[in-house]
Amino acid sequence: MPVDADTEKFIKVITLKNSVEHDGKAQFDAVISKFMGSRPEQRSQAKALIPEIKTIVQGINALPLADQKSLLEELAPGESTASPKKQAAEQPQLPPLERAVHGKVVTRFPPEPNGYPHIGHAKAAIIDEEYARMYGGKLILRFDDTNPTKEKLEYYDAIREGLEWLGVKPDIVKNTSDDIELLHSYGKKLVELGGAYVCTCSQETIHDLRAKGLPCECRRDPATALERIGRMFDGSYDQNEAIIRFKGDMADQNTAMRDPALFRILEGNHPKLGNRVRVWPTYDFAAPIEDSIDGVTHAMRTKEYELRNALYFAILDRLGLRKPEMIEFSRLEFEGVPVSKRKLKPLIEDGKVKSWDDPRLPTLAAFRRRGFVPEAIRKFVLSLGITLAETKPPFETLEAFNRKIIDPISPRLFFVKNPVEVRIDGAQEKEVVLKNHPTDATLGTRKVKVADTFYITGDDAASLKVGDEIRLIELYNIKITGIDESSGSRMIKAQVGGDEIRQSMPKIQWIAKNDIVEYKVMIPKELYKGEEYNTNSLEIAQGFAESFVSSLKPDTRVQFVRFGFCRIDSNNQAIMTHR
Ligand code: ATP
Ligand code: MG
């Protein structure tokens, strides 16, 4: 049906406004509800208008944002600049960076490839990326791979995939290990300058003297350091026989300055360099050097490194290298879920969870598998901002961001947990057409054949008494006439009631007997209750879904009515995203 010119213009204007407010992508739902709200008199034409609106939305979304703005200015002068405030409220912004020059800002995200990326990494990477974009600068992804005993190729890939899914696009990708020779030469130089020395004391001695604030023999004699530095690199020492230590102050209040290790000998097969390198820099040494030589202007890291800032800058000072700005933010943690590879790895090794994408984990792979969308994670991270306050935000906040995005696009379907049979006297066989979404007709409909036998959830069944009247959603009302428990399990008898929908009446989902598939939903719960591992952290809800569900492809998002949002995992299993 061709729409009249006035209606078409009106649809274009509301689509453009919505699009300009959402970075150039109008949301179909928002346009429909705006239209229906503004022109109630045209609601009756909804069926014919929806495809037209859809075409307009698609057409406008295909235009670059700049063209959308000029078109909006042409159709409705003054509207395109009307709502930057609203946009700011919807998309939280980070505060400006100090001493940042437009076009010159370089940030970096430096994960160690010793595990899968988690939501804490998402926070760091998103903040790094947002700042690089805010100043038209660059983001470096630097694999901080200087420990061959912990790192694996699998983890480099997992980190890259996780970031790709998140929509974080680094401008440069590199490995700290690419610069191993350079790092070695800076290490030697520091020893030659008298800023570091080779220590052959036992770990116990080092620990002991550090606690007492006293220097060891190795520190005293500069000649020893020069004589030993060659041997450090020529293979004369075994693992644990010698380390290079920074010459700090053994009595410093800040224990990070009490001659920390800068290099150690590690035997292991490095994923990029094999076993030809044995002397590996510590994070404390590699991070400042790499940041400096990579041109990083603003280095960001979590607050637990705060005491190590003095060391970071002292190393650069002694080597005469350029110093980046250092900015700290708080570590992201959740109640009941560890957000740290160190704590996640043992869970997998001990078999407490199956894999890195187990839906109980806070890894990006798990969020993806559960049905979270990356935009929700970004909005959530930005809403937290870059504060130093310990953030243990409620997990529900992240869920709320996600719900807002998936609610308009998830079809509403029926899953019945712990099913109980309901027989309806005299119910007619018929085919009913069910809407897949209450307001978005573009999500379509589905046909279901019903007869006189249905299933409802065990919980709903348990709450019924003879005489109750309930509504089977989108079907009809039924009146309970009998509850039979003689066979050990409940069976409910009913008759068809009226068609009037009353507010007070329970409205419940159902499955027709000839339309069932056996179905499971994995429900992830908190992994820990206090300090205790929660043995019930993965609940499996068993029941029936309507057969349509088994035709959905893995990855589809649905909302099981009165149950929760889920992501289809296979043809007989879904994972609960959240309620
Ligand atoms: P983990 O305990 O998970 O191993 P990590 O800090 O050792 O954490 P890295 O791979 O070294 O992990 O971290 C890369 C970057 O991500 C660092 O800059 C670190 O500060 C940041 N980061 C790691 N975990 C979190 C978190 N929970 N919240 C915010 N940022 C984090
Ligand atoms: Mg680390």
Side-chain angles (χ1 to χ4, degrees), residues 112 114 283 305 341-342:
E112 182 177 359
N114 63 347
Y283 170 82
Y305 292 106
K341 286 172 289 187
R342 260 184 304 270

Side-chain angles (χ1 to χ4, degrees), residues 109-112 114 118 120-121 123-124 300-302 304-305 329-332 339-342:
F109 171 60
E112 182 177 359
N114 63 347
H118 52 59
H121 294 116
K123 174 174 176 180
M300 282 165 254
R301 57 184 184 181
T302 40
E304 79 266 24
Y305 292 106
F329 53 81
S330 62
R331 246 187 119 76
L332 172 59
V339 185
S340 160
K341 286 172 289 187
R342 260 184 304 270

Side-chain angles (χ1 to χ4, degrees), residues 135-146:
Y135 290 98
K138 284 200 171 72
L139 168 68
I140 302 172
L141 164 60
R142 183 175 77 225
F143 289 101
D144 198 19
D145 55 349
T146 59

Side-chain angles (χ1 to χ4, degrees), residues 317-335:
D317 265 336
R318 283 195 198 166
L319 287 167
L321 292 172
R322 183 192 62 90
K323 290 184 273 185
E325 297 284 326
M326 178 59 79
I327 298 143
E328 281 100 23
F329 53 81
S330 62
R331 246 187 119 76
L332 172 59
E333 279 169 37
F334 288 118
E335 203 57 62

Side-chain angles (χ1 to χ4, degrees), residues 246-292:
F246 183 75
K247 203 177 263 180
D249 176 357
M250 286 305 287
D252 203 309
Q253 287 293 321
N254 177 356
T255 51
M257 293 303 284
R258 296 187 184 180
D259 293 16
L262 303 182
F263 286 87
R264 64 268 197 246
I265 296 166
L266 295 171
E267 303 284 357
N269 205 16
H270 188 272
K272 299 281 175 185
L273 301 182
N275 51 17
R276 70 179 172 85
V277 175
R278 297 173 72 242
V279 182
W280 289 99
T282 57
Y283 170 82
D284 281 335
F285 188 72
I289 307 282
E290 287 285 289
D291 287 348
S292 185

